[in-house]
Amino acid sequence: MPIELNPDPEVADLARRTAAFVREVVIPVEERYGGVVTGSGDKIRARLQQAAREASVFAPHVAPAFGGQGLDMCARAVVFEEAGYSLFGPLALNIAAPDEGNMHLLERIATPEQQTRYLRPLAAGEVRSCFAMTEPAPGAGSDPAALTTRARRLPSGGWVIDGRKWFITGADGAAFAICMARTSGEPGDRGGATMFLVGADNPGMKVVRHIETLDESLFGGHCEVVFDGCVVPDEAVLGEVDGGFEGAQVRLGPARMTHCMRWLGIARRAQDIAVANAATRQAFGSRLAELGMVQQMIADNEIDIAASRGLILQACWELDQGRSGAQSTAIAKTFTSEAVWRVVDRSLQMCGALGISGDVLLSRFLREVRAFRIYDGPSETHRWAIAKRVVRRHDVEAGPGTIA
């Protein structure tokens, strides 16, 4: 079955309207605040999301039953890229991380009661959420099997969770967390984890600090969260007991791709800023855009953007076909995260002192996109996994130890 490169007319129209909304409504707000959500962030978020509802571009990813437009992954690629043209665009459309990934997960595996309690207000933009898996060393990071947070079943029913989570995006102000805890086995085991839905009003869960980081545009920061005698009922189990790692895979591949889509929008924005400057700035007797070294950077940016888009679409097509997409999403995430960095870095270089000034947002973009090469799996971890799959395929096809 061939991959359709052209979106349906309805999707193309939604993408055009999203692009117009971002340029006319969102970017002026983003520029006013320098791309950083401040202490008045809740008001900014509410105002932008209301404007998105009025423009009929709000929550395009969730099912119509939950107030969205039910876009598949290939359609999301087109729309999310347009939303990502501004740092505040995903926030306005309610497709920002980690909420977007949590909505996807809840829509796929939550019970109807859990969907009513958690998914419906999240999809409506009434609340925020977080996904609490990462831990301080030697706990779970790039290797989730190192998970040390434990959940113990109580004799009278329910569970008690104990552990420390680290770098939990959006935890401050989140209405609930999806917490990954070990319910059997030992750290290093590939199974034995369970996901739990924990409300922020639970006295056993506390956000203990904000971690200072290079990036600042993600709502709610990156936080350290402690679960200390955190009691939850049996109904808090999301998915199957001991099936947490498998359940999280429902979220993992699509979330990698939606990150790529959003950041690709910022890469395009950086390129547009740089090209506009190069086309008008005079130096050494000509426009910058007529100098060979600048032309090479412009061309390399276009190549990186186009290649990223193609890899994202390939991976999204596989996900839409019901495939795991493990290899294609790892390839797309690795390439796109590094390509986006290259595009923003070149764009800043083309703008010279303007690029590192506060007069344009390129320096803010550079700070924000650098972290993308680390979260959702560092490039090195993805390369290791990609290579392992290639060698495994060779062994299956040619036989172990065989040189094909």
Side-chain angles (χ1 to χ4, degrees):
M1 183 177 178
I3 300 174
E4 178 54 62
L5 297 177
N6 296 314
D8 292 338
E10 296 82 0
V11 174
D13 178 65
L14 177 58
R16 284 191 294 270
R17 289 188 288 109
T18 299
F21 171 75
V22 168
R23 285 163 175 77
E24 296 166 10
V25 178
V26 180
I27 287 179
V29 178
E30 174 206 54
E31 291 178 339
R32 189 181 316 146
Y33 291 94
V36 178
V37 178
T38 62
S40 58
D42 284 321
K43 293 180 180 178
I44 298 170
R45 175 175 173 269
R47 189 165 72 248
L48 287 175
Q49 290 192 350
Q50 181 57 35
R53 290 187 192 94
E54 292 169 0
S56 299
V57 297
F58 184 77
H61 56 305
V62 294
F66 298 103
Q69 302 183 48
L71 298 186
D72 64 16
M73 291 301 297
C74 285
R76 292 180 202 186
V78 181
V79 175
F80 280 33
E81 181 183 328
E82 295 297 348
Y85 197 77
S86 165
L87 292 173
F88 286 7
L91 184 70
L93 269 67
N94 202 20
I95 60 170
D99 291 332
E100 178 271 329
N102 289 345
M103 289 181 227
H104 183 87
L105 179 62
L106 291 167
E107 194 172 334
R108 298 302 186 279
I109 71 172
T111 66
E113 292 77 14
Q114 290 171 336
Q115 290 178 342
T116 297
R117 181 174 178 182
Y118 297 102
L119 174 56
R120 193 166 292 283
L122 186 62
E126 297 168 2
V127 301
R128 293 190 295 102
S129 64
C130 63
F131 190 84
M133 185 178 76
T134 308
E135 300 173 346
S142 296
D143 181 8
L147 185 72
T148 61
T149 297
R150 287 199 174 270
R152 174 173 50 88
R153 193 187 291 273
L154 296 171
S156 57
W159 300 79
V160 59
I161 306 170
D162 290 287
R164 182 174 289 266
K165 298 294 184 177
W166 188 79
F167 222 84
I168 306 307
T169 302
D172 187 11
F176 67 92
I178 300 175
C179 174
M180 186 79 78
R182 183 168 291 285
T183 44
S184 66
E186 299 297 328
D189 292 347
R190 291 292 161 184
T194 302
M195 291 185 288
F196 294 90
L197 290 157
V198 184
D201 58 351
N202 191 311
M205 182 180 79
K206 287 186 174 22
V207 175
V208 295
R209 73 174 177 118
H210 268 258
I211 300 167
E212 185 177 349
T213 60
L214 187 69
D215 60 325
E216 297 181 80
S217 71
L218 290 171
F219 208 90
H222 305 290
C223 302
E224 193 164 357
V225 182
V226 171
F227 294 85
D228 184 10
C230 181
V231 178
V232 295
D234 288 323
E235 294 75 25
V237 172
L238 178 61
E240 300 294 331
V241 172
D242 285 349
F245 290 146
E246 294 79 5
Q249 293 300 313
V250 173
R251 184 186 192 279
L252 184 60
R256 285 177 186 165
M257 291 305 92
T258 51
H259 271 311
C260 291
M261 300 166 195
R262 292 184 293 255
W263 286 126
L264 186 58
I266 281 294
R268 277 181 45 220
R269 173 100 169 275
Q271 170 79 327
D272 287 349
I273 292 170
V275 170
N277 180 70
T280 56
R281 178 72 187 272
Q282 294 285 328
F284 307 108
S286 68
R287 296 185 304 164
L288 286 180
E290 293 167 358
L291 299 177
M293 286 184 287
V294 173
Q295 289 175 341
Q296 179 174 342
M297 287 190 280
I298 292 171
D300 286 346
N301 279 359
E302 286 297 298
I303 292 166
D304 272 338
I305 290 170
S308 297
R309 189 178 291 121
L311 289 171
I312 292 168
L313 187 59
Q314 167 71 36
C316 287
W317 179 82
E318 291 187 20
L319 292 172
D320 284 339
Q321 298 302 307
R323 304 179 189 179
S324 75
Q327 187 78 330
S328 61
T329 59
I331 291 170
K333 197 277 178 182
T334 304
F335 184 88
T336 302
S337 65
E338 297 181 357
V340 166
W341 166 262
R342 291 193 296 265
V343 170
V344 176
D345 185 54
R346 290 189 201 108
S347 298
L348 187 149
Q349 188 73 15
M350 281 188 272
C351 290
L354 175 67
I356 60 173
S357 76
D359 291 354
V360 293
L361 288 179
L362 287 173
S363 59
R364 169 54 52 197
F365 297 165
L366 195 74
R367 289 169 63 95
E368 299 301 325
V369 303
R370 179 58 183 88
F372 186 29
R373 290 163 59 192
I374 295 173
Y375 58 65
D376 262 6
S379 296
E380 294 74 17
T381 300
H382 282 301
R383 285 188 168 92
W384 172 70
I386 289 164
K388 281 182 63 177
R389 294 187 193 100
V390 172
V391 173
R392 189 183 308 128
R393 184 175 66 232
H394 168 272
D395 290 344
V396 169
E397 294 174 353
T402 301
I403 299 177

